[in-house]
Amino acid sequence: MNQEEFQLVQSSIPAEPGIYKYFDEEHTLIYVGKAKHLRKRVSSYFNKNQNSYKTNELVRRIRSIEFTIVNSEQDAFLLENSLIKEFQPRYNINLKDDKSYPYIVIKKEDFPRVFLTRRVIRDGSEYLGPFTSVGKVRELIHFTRQHIPLRTCKLNLTPQNIEKKKFKVCLEYHLGNCKGPCEGLQTPADYAENLQRLRSLLKGNLSPVLQVYKDQMMQYVEQLSFEKAEILKKKIEHLRAYQAKSTIVNQKMGDIDVFAIAVVEDDAYVNFLMVRNGTIVDTQTITLKKKLDESAGELLSFAVNHFRETFRSTAPEIVVPFPVEYPDEQVKQIIPKSGDKKNLIELSIKNVDYFIQELQKRKRLHLQEAGEDKMEILEQLQDDLSLMETPVHIECFDNSNFQGSYPVSAMVCFKDGVPSKKDYRHFNVKTVQGINDFATMKEVVFRRYKRLMESNESLPQLVIIDGGKGQLGAAMESIEDLGLTGRMTLVGLAKNEEEIFFAGDKDSLKLPFDGQSLRLIRYIRDEVHRFGITFHRKKRSGGTFKNQLEDIKGIGNSTADTLLKHFRSVKNVTLATMEEITNVVGKQKAQIVYTYFHPDDEGNSEKEAVSTNDD
């Protein structure tokens, strides 16, 4: 869109706060921005004095502009961040973070169980987190179980079942790890007190737990029950030792979020320190990709919102190295000059520097590996996996989908131990509706090797299925259908533990963590992730908003934007209750939206029909 074309639409741009959306000639969303005054902000892009090459390139690609008016600058800020994260437009800040974070769930049930999960289900259960590390979560759960007796069984402990004496206590009761609620030996009130101690401990607040144990220990001493008192004394010592390992800043400091940033060329690195009750309880560093010469302030503002939303932070203060745009007036910004908070900023900067150094080390390692004898590594892989031939030709598959929409798969090919990018392939899934990783894997593996057979091309010696036993089994079904059994080796790679599975084997194979074989497999796995995610984001962006909400019959652009503004993402809309949606768009439209995302609840097949039409 040139300046003359823009003049024709300039008068139609509202002079109010809101967000603007730029689309290219294929109506692909390429940029989302916010503004206090939409007309002035959009006009600035078409100013003749624009001297940024990247901005000029963006303007050259704009073919249409859409707007959403909001009530305040804060609403614009939240909606902009939501849409950037949802659709990853080409010219917006790119967040290199595709992780699903672990939570600790307190299940909504009689005598609630406590366990690790990555899925948040709106069933009334309580989710603590998210946390940045699965290892950290497992350590926390193990630690809490040593000190707080909670059940680990899956028994349905309803009052009726307990009263009918359907269950007997297990070994955990006799070991002192459970108080036996299954036989009615523990009351719901006592169990609830234990859960409250668990919450305090997970939030870094050990004082209430320590005080309870001290009081109980003194009671046992008065009753001359010295053995029980000794057990509690050891628990208190263990808790204090655990507390000493944590980084305690100042117990009077309370809850704050600390951020630091470093910008290196087109990349920015932001560290987050979560401080609760004066103790650092979690930390993470992410990478942001600059697209339009964004300032450090713009990048940090984006990251602050991302972290606080992702980790559901309600801390009343944020500590930053310089002022940033964060429109929530209830949250206080601190730019410290000295003291404990200044020390926290310096610690956060140290974490950023370490993160950058580690990235540089990995790059150097890859360069070194590129110069190594690849055949030697492949021969080592052949030996480790007991392959009949040296795997000079390796292919790896990975699935990707988003809320059941845009299911795709990716395949990367390595020849002689290096990427053969001309042989990389993307697959638009044709026969699978919704989320079904097994059926998706079966389809794409069948299509890939059927084509190779028809064109008489060579088959790989090794095929890696990223996803473990289930997807490996689905891939093997296609290999058997094609009559290729025994002509190539297929293995599954578990996503979390990096274990290798062979079809039909009960036990997995664990390769040396720093060994050449696993390093090559890990490199191939990371490459298929990168390749698949790039394609998937392009698909999602190409679909824009229409495929997500506006394809629902009876839901238009205005209602879709209202839902996104309130719930911040399509995912949150799908998880919302009927009552929550009704409060936003009214009962009639809420019924349409809820029925679309929950067809089984009403016996409705509208969603399936729409998906079929999209294909």
Side-chain angles (χ1 to χ4, degrees), residues 284-329:
Q284 190 187 27
T285 303
I286 58 171
T287 303
L288 300 173
K289 191 75 175 177
K290 295 169 62 177
K291 292 300 182 71
L292 291 177
D293 298 320
E294 294 88 352
S295 67
E298 291 173 310
L299 295 163
L300 185 55
S301 175
F302 180 87
V304 168
N305 184 72
H306 162 75
F307 277 121
R308 286 181 61 88
E309 183 179 291
T310 300
F311 293 95
R312 304 190 295 183
S313 174
T314 56
E317 289 186 9
I318 59 175
V319 179
V320 286
F322 47 78
V324 298
E325 181 181 6
Y326 193 75
D328 189 345
E329 296 179 356

Side-chain angles (χ1 to χ4, degrees), residues 188-237:
D190 184 66
Y191 196 91
E193 286 183 12
N194 283 344
L195 286 176
Q196 191 55 46
R197 291 170 197 156
L198 172 88
R199 294 184 185 96
S200 295
L201 195 151
L202 291 176
K203 292 175 182 177
N205 186 11
L206 274 64
S207 298
V209 184
L210 285 168
Q211 190 59 51
V212 168
Y213 286 158
K214 287 177 185 177
D215 293 342
Q216 290 180 354
M217 183 177 71
M218 294 307 298
Q219 290 175 11
Y220 286 139
V221 170
E222 290 173 2
Q223 298 166 6
L224 304 182
S225 300
F226 298 116
E227 290 183 0
K228 292 181 179 179
E230 180 65 22
I231 292 173
L232 284 175
K233 181 183 178 183
K234 289 181 178 178
K235 286 191 174 186
I236 291 171
E237 290 173 349

